Amino acid sequence: MTQDSDTLTALHRAWRRAVPYENLDIQLGRPIRLDDESLYDKLIRRGRGGYCYEQNAVLCMLLRAAGFPVTVLEGAVLRETHGEARWGNHVVLLVTVGDERWIADAGIGDGFLDPLPLREGRYEQDGLVYRLERLDRDTWRFHHHPGGTISSYDFRLEAREIGDFADHSDRLSTSPESPYVTTLIVGRPLVDHTALLLSRTVRRLGAADPCVRTVGTPDEFARLLRETFHVPLDDLGRDGLELLWGRAGAQDALWRARVDGG
């Protein structure tokens, strides 16, 4: 396989379109394991998705297997607004192609489809505009498109390993205050938008018609996971699906109560 930017782009886009961003194991109380064998089993053998640490760990395996030099970087989602404590809540991949470096990232549910060259500037993909800004010699900021699920994340160029983030992952996957615990999240880029499921609410991000609707029945919920998000239902099991449906309903009811209560 040729290690050029076209190949990198094709692999990145194919991965983003095929592998759902999801936190269903967290919702089910299953542990998130970041060792290579567990990650390969979950995302490759069993066809599941995952959140940022899982997604980018296995994308890193794929790119390295294709011959690309890849470095794992530490990220900080919303450091711009929430400060230094955000470091470690995200990971990003730095891929070297010849004399050029690229940022690859499958760990944001509605993130960019194609890798971005590590150069300051604006980058348009499928009508959406992203931006890279250099903050200092070793620190960069990614600005998401307007209307994205986050506004920005920072990353620094010091090489890390996925295992370095085990404590961060344990906290984000178990803390009662973590959004991954409080909200069921599933996302997948489609042709002209990203489909996003938050608890029982479906959104179309980046679409000309940003339709928002509520999933009404357990059958619709299961069909949506299987057909729109490509989640293999047999890996969740019938009991798992019922638990997810119930948790999503409780989350949705809590959110509506907060809105109605002002």
Side-chain angles (χ1 to χ4, degrees), residues 75 106 122 125 148 230 256:
R122 297 171 72 257
Q125 296 180 10
H230 291 182
R256 292 179 187 279

Side-chain angles (χ1 to χ4, degrees), residues 140-153:
W140 291 72
R141 176 165 294 157
F142 163 74
H143 295 271
H144 208 350
H145 67 80
T149 52
I150 62 170
S151 58
S152 69
Y153 66 71

Side-chain angles (χ1 to χ4, degrees), residues 70-92:
V70 184
T71 303
V72 176
L73 306 179
E74 182 179 20
V77 172
L78 299 180
R79 173 178 174 248
E80 182 179 14
T81 53
H82 290 68
E84 299 303 304
R86 308 297 284 190
W87 282 114
N89 69 2
H90 190 55
V91 293
V92 186

Side-chain angles (χ1 to χ4, degrees), residues 7 54 78 99 109 113 163 171 182 190 197 199 201 209 212 248 254:
T7 302
E54 300 170 289
L78 299 180
D99 296 329
L113 280 178
R171 175 178 55 82
T182 60
L190 302 177
L197 175 65
S199 301
T201 301
D209 174 20
V212 178
L254 180 61

Side-chain angles (χ1 to χ4, degrees), residues 37 71 157 188 194 206 240 256:
E37 175 57 30
T71 303
L157 301 184
R188 179 170 165 260
T194 295
R256 292 179 187 279

